[in-house]
Each structure stands twice: as C-alpha cells, then as structure tokens.
Amino acid sequence: MLMNLLRRFFIQRKSAQLLAEAQRLFREGAFEEAERAGLEYEKSSSDLAELHYLRASIALAQERHESAARHLEAAVAERDSDSTFHSKLAEVLQKLGRHDSAAVHYASALEHLPPSDPARPRTMLRLAAALQDCNRQREAEQWYRKILDVDPGNRDALLCLAVMREDSDVEEARSLMDRYTALQAGAAPRLRRALMLPVILQSSEEIDRIRQRLDRDLDELLGLKSPEVSNPEFEVGATPFNLAYHGRNNAELLRKIARVCRSMYPARTECAHRAFSSGRLRIGFVSTYFYAHSVGRTTFGLIRDLPRDRFEVHVFAIAPQTDDLAEAIRKGADRYVSLPLDLGRVRGAIDSAALDIVFFADIGMHPLTYFLAFWRLAPIQMVTWGHSVTSGIDTIDYYVSSDAIEAAGSEQYYTEKLVRLPGYFMPHYRRPALGGPRVSRGELGLPEGKHLYYCPQNLFKLHPDFDGSIRAILERDPQAELVLPEFIRAGVAEQLRRRFELTLGALASRIRFVPRSEHRKFLQCVAAADVVLDPFHFGGCNSSCDALSLGVPVVTLPGSQLPGRFTLGLYEEIDLDCCVARSADEYVEIALRLGRDAEYRKSVSERISARCARLFDRPDAGLALGEELLRIAGTAP
C-alpha cells in the first residue's frame, strides 16, 4: 500500500516537473522542445487539460489557429469548469470567424467566474462583441447594459453601446458619448460624438437642426486645445458619411470637419518624394471596397483601361475580400498590394511606391481611407464618386466626375477642383445578367396581381422630400405596393416605418420590406418589378444600371448635385427621356403611367432593352481619365 502511494507520488512529481519544463521552454520561445517535453508529460499523466492548453498556446504563437482551437476544445472536454480554457477558446474561435461558438464559450467562462472576479467585465465585453459579430444585436446590447449596471464608468461598454445605438436612437447615443467623453480626455471622442447624425431623417426641419448643431460642435472643437491623435481611424472611428444624404451643399461643413481633423491629426501635407517619375506615370488606386461592391464595380474599368504605355497602375486593396471582381481587379493591375486595416502600414506601402498620382476610389465611407487622405502621398491626389460628395480635405486636389452628369455651376459643391471627363461616364461596367430564367413573384415572396414599384436603395437615401411622391403614387394607384429592401443594421427600418406612419398614414401598410439578398436574387427582384423608383436627392447608379440592363423602367427626377444625376446620365446615353421628370408632380405622373398601363410599360421596356447594351463594357471613361491625367501632370509645377 505504502509503496503504491510512494510510486504514485513520484510519478505525479515527475509529471509536474515535465509540464513545468515544457511551460518554461514555451516561455523562452523554444516551441519544438516544449512540444517534445509535453509529449513526455503525456506518457506519465492522465490529466491532459494543462498540456492541451500549452499546445494550444504553442499553436497560437505559430499562428496555427485551427490546431489551437482543437487543443483548446480538448482542454475544455477534460476540464469544463476552467473559465480560462473557455475564454481562450472563444478568442481563437473569433479569429476563425466562428462567432456563434465564441459567444457560447464566453458565456461558459462567465458561468464559472465568481461574481467578484475582476475578469468578469472584460469577459462580458468580449461576449457582447462576439454577439455583435454574429448579428445578435439585441443580446449584445443587453450585455453592454449589464456591464454598465455594475460598472457605470466602464468606458469600453459606454463607447460600444453608444456606437450600437447610433442607428436606432442617435440622441441616446450622444448621451452615452457625453458620459464617455467625461471619462476620456481629448478631442477624438468629442468629434466622434459630433459626427453622430441620424441615419433616417424625419423632416427637412430636423435636417436644419442637426446641421446647425454639428456646426456648433465643430466650432467648439476648433477652440479646444487637445493632445494629438495617433490613430484617428480607431480613436475617432467615424466619418461624415450621413451628411451626403441631406440634399444640401455640404462643401463648407465638410471643409470645417476636415479642419477639426487636421487640428488633432497633423498629417504630412508635403510630398516626401520627387515630383513625377520618368517614363510611365505611376498611379495608385486605394480603397477598402475592391471587391463585388458598388465601389469596386465603378472603379474596375479605370484600373483596367488606363493605357499601359503611359501609366503604371498600382492597386492598394485594404482588407480585401475574395470574389470574382476582386480577382479581376487584381489581374487588371500592374502591381497589386493587399493590406490590413492598419493606417500606418497602408501609408508606408503607398509611400514606398513613390507614386505620381494617388487615386482614392472613395473618401468618407471608411475611417481608414478618410484619415489616410489627410496625408500628402503623391504630387497629385484625387478622388471619385465611390462616395458621391466632396471630401473637404485640403490634400485632395481633384474630384473626378463627368461632364455628362454634372450640372452647370456644380463646382460650388466641391472643395477640390472638379474634373469633368468627356463622354460616357461608367468605366467598363460589366453588364449584369440574371443567370437563368426569371423567377415568379410568388417564389420571391412578392405579391401577384399588384403593381410593384421597387425602390432598391439603402434606406438612408430616402429623403423626407420623397415621401410626398410615395404618398401620391399609393393614393392614386389602389393596386400599388412599394417594395423596399430591409436594412442590414437593426433599428433603421423601424425609424423609417415611424416616419411613414406620420407622412403616409394608412397608406404605409402597402409598403413591403424584403430581405437583403445576394446580387443574383436582387436582380430577380428587380426583374419582377413593374417600375423602379429613383429617390431624390440621392438616387441610384449601380442599381439603375442593373434595372436598365433587364429592361425595367427607372423613373428619375434629376437633382442639382451629382448623387441625384446618375440615372439621368444613363438615359441620355441611350437617348431616352420618357422616364426623366422635371418636377415632383411629373415624377408621379410618369411612375403611375408605367405602373398602371401595361402596354405602355412594355413599349418603354422594349425601347430600353433595344438600347441598353451601349451602357456596358465600354473603355471610354478609363481612356478619358488617362488623357486628363496626362494633361494635369503636364501642367503641374
């Protein structure tokens, strides 16, 4: 008996020594030796939980995340009550994109943490973040509120909840940011609060109020002495995106926002390398959206069609995704650089290319590229309509647009010098195709026997001024239903429904929200519509190309600014004006005639189908851009 006890004691002691040795070797970075010591430990011990955890740690150090996950799952199976195992497994699962499983293990970690454990708030935060990542927004919000119940001054929870609530209740979001800025010094969080603007606008009067409030907030920030911000893409983490949908001239407000940004983020304004290389001009296209996204679709042709005898084309794809268009963009470049969401690394990569021209496909859609634009990275810097408004930034020299769609005097809307390219304006846009026969309305969840008016735009494009036209169409066509896409972020559609209850009353019951879908199903929904409605003051571009390619009429009322004039340009290119209105009243008349008169609608559709081929797969815009770039470079000092 005694001998058995002694033998067991010495075996356990030897096992503990082997494990301790393996852990020491791991800490010293001797991973292979640590693995071998671990295997020796495995021969002498039946408790393998710590060994699996160690092997997971080795795998993580070597960025072998799948292997790490397997070992952590084994550790949890051996000792389910260990909160550390659950937390670490959840972290790895998040890196692998398995957010639902990560949430399960963060919840398990919390079950095994004592109420007083200081790790609880951090684990609760991670659980909330995992729930957000798998689009369980309500549950995430509940966890952030639980954190604030026990720790009202938790800055991370305040910031995360404020950002979550911004879409649903911007006033609550600003109130949460007030609490956050009381705890967090500096101008960055105050600018983040100032840029919290409603996604859905309730009235023109509200637009006036929030713009006046933003102007006051910016004046306060300009008078604030604050430490410099090192990482504005995270510390501010927002852009003036929602201003674009107000239907107003944003040039001065965007210029003032840029002044505030520069006051806290003094990026370099002089080019670090010699102006203009000998031989071909080196141009670099920059975006976080070089894949099957509206920005990718409208930039691909510029990248592909610039004449290679005069240009060397670089593409800087930030956080790229993998799809057919992303691959086409990669192949269309002379040099393609894939970069992480790290402003410093992106800036360094562009700097090292010693470009003559930096071409932003969009500014204002992502914080990283917005703040990157404050750096002078090339002698010539320009932007185009990935986000169809001016940047306001003093280091962006040109805004590339088209003479075909800019109105007379539209220079007033830009802080850059406006470039009006001649000719057709859609750069080698690929013609969309259904990829099969048309699907019935019933299969798409749409009603048969109704007149379907489809407005396939993000809901933030639906300006309050548009409600009157919607009301008139629904009042005068008893068979009309308006189809709108659901919004990806929670709370936005609900705000629009509340506005419609006030502006449309009982007619709002004839508005149908359909789930967002991948592009092929989206095209089937467009094909099933009788009429597509182009909203004002910010209409469609890609969506109008899609509809016209299928022969579906798009009714448009051109605005005075670029965002409301793309559909006009498409119709002018195919020499058809019967769907282009000159007033809101005429817009309603055109829509109703198309919606109610099937024979007339068929005749218009046939004319569109007969002419629309000229809208697609053309190199005009890329070639015109090349000529203009050569002219600009030739006149540069």
Side-chain angles (χ1 to χ4, degrees), residues 131-206:
L131 290 166
Q132 276 189 273
D133 287 336
C134 51
N135 205 29
R136 292 158 64 182
Q137 304 295 330
R138 292 186 187 277
E139 293 172 76
E141 183 180 319
Q142 290 169 358
W143 277 105
Y144 288 129
R145 294 191 188 279
K146 286 178 184 178
I147 296 167
L148 293 173
D149 285 343
V150 297
D151 183 9
N154 189 298
R155 288 182 291 184
D156 291 330
L158 282 168
L159 179 59
C160 290
L161 184 57
V163 172
M164 278 197 75
R165 294 298 296 161
E166 184 175 2
D167 288 341
S168 302
D169 187 339
V170 74
E171 297 308 319
E172 183 190 7
R174 286 172 63 90
S175 177
L176 289 162
M177 284 300 293
D178 284 337
R179 291 167 60 185
Y180 179 79
T181 56
L183 300 167
Q184 182 72 33
R190 287 161 177 79
L191 178 57
R192 180 70 181 86
R193 176 183 176 275
L195 294 177
M196 285 181 161
L197 306 173
V199 178
I200 298 297
L201 303 158
Q202 297 299 319
S203 66
S204 289
E205 292 74 22
E206 182 193 33

Side-chain angles (χ1 to χ4, degrees), residues 60-258:
L60 282 175
Q62 297 171 330
E63 297 188 352
R64 294 184 290 114
H65 295 117
E66 289 286 358
S67 177
R70 287 194 297 272
H71 283 298
L72 287 165
E73 285 164 351
V76 165
E78 292 268 342
R79 195 188 305 161
D80 182 65
S81 62
D82 194 310
S83 62
T84 301
F85 293 171
H86 282 288
S87 287
K88 184 59 72 174
L89 175 55
E91 289 177 38
V92 175
L93 291 170
Q94 277 193 287
K95 290 178 180 177
L96 292 169
R98 289 149 60 181
H99 302 297
D100 279 301
S101 296
V104 168
H105 285 284
Y106 280 131
S108 295
L110 282 171
E111 287 177 15
H112 299 297
L113 279 172
S116 59
D117 194 301
R120 281 189 70 83
R122 183 175 67 253
T123 306
M124 292 165 77
L125 279 167
R126 290 175 173 173
L127 170 57
L131 290 166
Q132 276 189 273
D133 287 336
C134 51
N135 205 29
R136 292 158 64 182
Q137 304 295 330
R138 292 186 187 277
E139 293 172 76
E141 183 180 319
Q142 290 169 358
W143 277 105
Y144 288 129
R145 294 191 188 279
K146 286 178 184 178
I147 296 167
L148 293 173
D149 285 343
V150 297
D151 183 9
N154 189 298
R155 288 182 291 184
D156 291 330
L158 282 168
L159 179 59
C160 290
L161 184 57
V163 172
M164 278 197 75
R165 294 298 296 161
E166 184 175 2
D167 288 341
S168 302
D169 187 339
V170 74
E171 297 308 319
E172 183 190 7
R174 286 172 63 90
S175 177
L176 289 162
M177 284 300 293
D178 284 337
R179 291 167 60 185
Y180 179 79
T181 56
L183 300 167
Q184 182 72 33
R190 287 161 177 79
L191 178 57
R192 180 70 181 86
R193 176 183 176 275
L195 294 177
M196 285 181 161
L197 306 173
V199 178
I200 298 297
L201 303 158
Q202 297 299 319
S203 66
S204 289
E205 292 74 22
E206 182 193 33
I207 294 173
D208 291 336
R209 288 195 300 271
I210 62 176
R211 290 171 73 88
Q212 290 163 8
R213 182 173 69 180
L214 173 60
D215 199 43
R216 292 194 300 271
D217 288 345
L218 296 173
D219 285 337
E220 289 179 13
L221 283 162
L222 286 170
L224 183 68
K225 292 189 181 298
S226 175
E228 291 182 7
V229 172
S230 300
N231 302 107
E233 74 276 29
F234 301 119
E235 295 174 67
V236 178
T239 76
F241 177 82
N242 287 335
L243 273 182
Y245 305 97
H246 289 184
R248 310 290 171 82
N249 186 344
N250 290 310
E252 290 310 312
L253 264 179
L254 288 169
R255 187 180 272 119
K256 185 179 279 192
I257 291 167

Side-chain angles (χ1 to χ4, degrees), residues 501-513:
E501 287 174 6
L502 295 174
T503 59
L504 306 180
L507 295 169
S509 64
R510 287 160 52 199
I511 297 178
R512 179 181 296 265
F513 288 84

